[in-house]
């Protein structure tokens, strides 16, 4: 196993584990969160380009990268808005419940696109195992939402969150799909233009909020504190891009290992945000997360 590759994929796990929890902990509204996250990513990407001297993509490669970054920012701001949903008693949904569902949607969407449009899982056996894996992911996501004491308000809140996350999935899907249509460039080459697209979306959203709602996020301290969350997201993205290179761990292995981040994101969200869970709820959450990670491993290695 490539030790340097393991180092970089560990950065991906740490970065993506911490990112959603930091967004919730730092606070502010979703627009402040996305501004900080996207500009934090652009700062890191700028340093990487200067130090690594990576070439700037041109033409269609450049614009596909920029739009894919903006699409991620759209998906992320919609996802962050789900963090703050409240039930009838005023309890916040939080990142710990949102992220496993969001991750499950992303894996399922990537799988469906790969099978229907890219010809993945060509064999009958692969389709069978893949179908079981997708079902396991759905079951795993459901288990992470388990509550011993269910109320009508809880159910409505969860349904509302799932609708919001399906909308967010449009952005996340484009983030993954558009780079498939670039030619002769690596993930590292796309990192900076993707960050440009993210940052452009972030500042555009801030200006829209200022002009329409007279809410100036640019003079709020919490907006710039969210840069910290952006640094962690960028660390995750960079670690994944490097570890996925053929000379490191390769795409499949890197993808599987990066899925461990959902465990960290969920557990840290529960602990840091002081979410109360009973013993049965903890057990259901852990089993659900294990199912998601194992099923992701299966889908990554199917041909």
């Amino acid at each position: 196993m490539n030790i340097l590759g393991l180092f970089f994929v560990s950065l991906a796990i740490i970065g993506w584990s911490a990112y959603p929890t930091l967004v919730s902990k730092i606070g502010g509204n979703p627009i402040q969160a996305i501004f900080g996250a996207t500009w934090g990513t652009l700062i890191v990407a700028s340093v990487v380009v200067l130090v690594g001297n990576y070439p700037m993509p041109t033409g269609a490669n450049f614009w596909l990268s920029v739009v894919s970054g903006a699409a991620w920012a759209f998906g992320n701001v919609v996802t962050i808005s789900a963090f703050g949903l409240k039930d009838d008693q005023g309890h916040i949904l939080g990142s710990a419940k949102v992220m496993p569902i969001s991750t499950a949607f992303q894996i399922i969407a990537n799988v469906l696109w790969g099978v229907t449009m890219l010809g993945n899982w060509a064999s009958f056996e692969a389709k069978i195992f893949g179908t079981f894996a997708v079902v396991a992911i759905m079951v795993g996501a459901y288990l992470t939402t388990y509550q011993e004491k269910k109320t009508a308000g809880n159910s409505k809140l969860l349904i509302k969150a799932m609708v919001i996350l399906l909308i967010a999935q449009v952005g996340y899907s484009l983030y993954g799909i558009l780079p498939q249509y670039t030619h002769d460039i690596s993930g590292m080459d796309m990192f900076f233009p993707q960050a440009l697209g993210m940052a452009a979306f972030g500042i555009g959203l801030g200006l829209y909020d200022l002009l329409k709602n007279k809410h100036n996020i640019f003079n709020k301290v919490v907006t710039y504190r969210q840069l910290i969350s952006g640094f962690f997201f960028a660390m995750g993205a960079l670690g994944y891009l490097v570890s996925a290179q053929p000379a490191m761990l390769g795409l499949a292995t890197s993808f599987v290992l990066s899925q461990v981040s959902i465990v960290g994101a969920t557990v840290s969200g529960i602990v840091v945000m002081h979410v109360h869970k009973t013993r049965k709820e903890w057990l259901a959450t852990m089993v659900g997360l294990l199912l998601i990670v194992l099923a992701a491993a299966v889908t990554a290695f199917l041909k």
Side-chain angles (χ1 to χ4, degrees), residues 71-179:
W72 174 87
F74 166 79
N76 201 45
V77 74
V78 175
T79 299
I80 292 171
S81 70
F83 290 179
L85 293 176
K86 296 181 180 180
D87 61 17
D88 296 338
Q89 287 76 44
H91 298 130
I92 295 177
L93 189 62
S95 61
K97 285 188 178 179
V98 170
M99 289 311 298
I101 302 172
S102 177
T103 298
F105 282 171
Q106 290 177 56
I107 294 172
I108 292 168
N110 288 337
V111 163
L112 291 176
W113 179 264
V115 171
T116 58
M117 302 301 293
L118 302 179
N120 297 156
W121 301 359
S123 69
F124 177 75
E125 291 81 4
K127 287 183 173 64
I128 293 297
F129 281 110
T131 299
F132 277 114
V134 170
V135 172
I137 288 169
M138 295 171 67
V139 172
Y142 174 77
L143 286 173
T144 64
T145 68
Y146 172 75
Q147 288 181 297
E148 277 196 84
K149 296 181 180 179
K150 294 182 176 65
T151 66
N154 295 147
S155 300
K156 289 179 182 178
L157 183 65
L158 192 58
I159 292 171
K160 185 177 180 180
M162 292 180 72
V163 171
I164 290 173
L165 293 175
L166 283 172
I167 296 171
Q169 185 55 47
V170 175
Y172 288 140
S173 291
L174 288 173
Y175 174 63
I177 290 169
L178 292 178

Side-chain angles (χ1 to χ4, degrees), residues 143-144 263 266-267 270 281-291:
L143 286 173
T144 64
V263 179
T266 303
V267 174
I270 292 170
E281 289 170 350
W282 266 111
L283 178 61
T285 298
M286 292 298 103
V287 171
L289 291 172
L290 182 63
L291 277 175

Side-chain angles (χ1 to χ4, degrees), residues 31-41 223 226-231:
I31 297 177
Q32 290 172 303
I34 202 65
F35 177 86
T38 55
W39 279 81
T41 301
T223 302
Q226 283 289 358
L227 288 171
I228 299 170
S229 69
F231 294 151

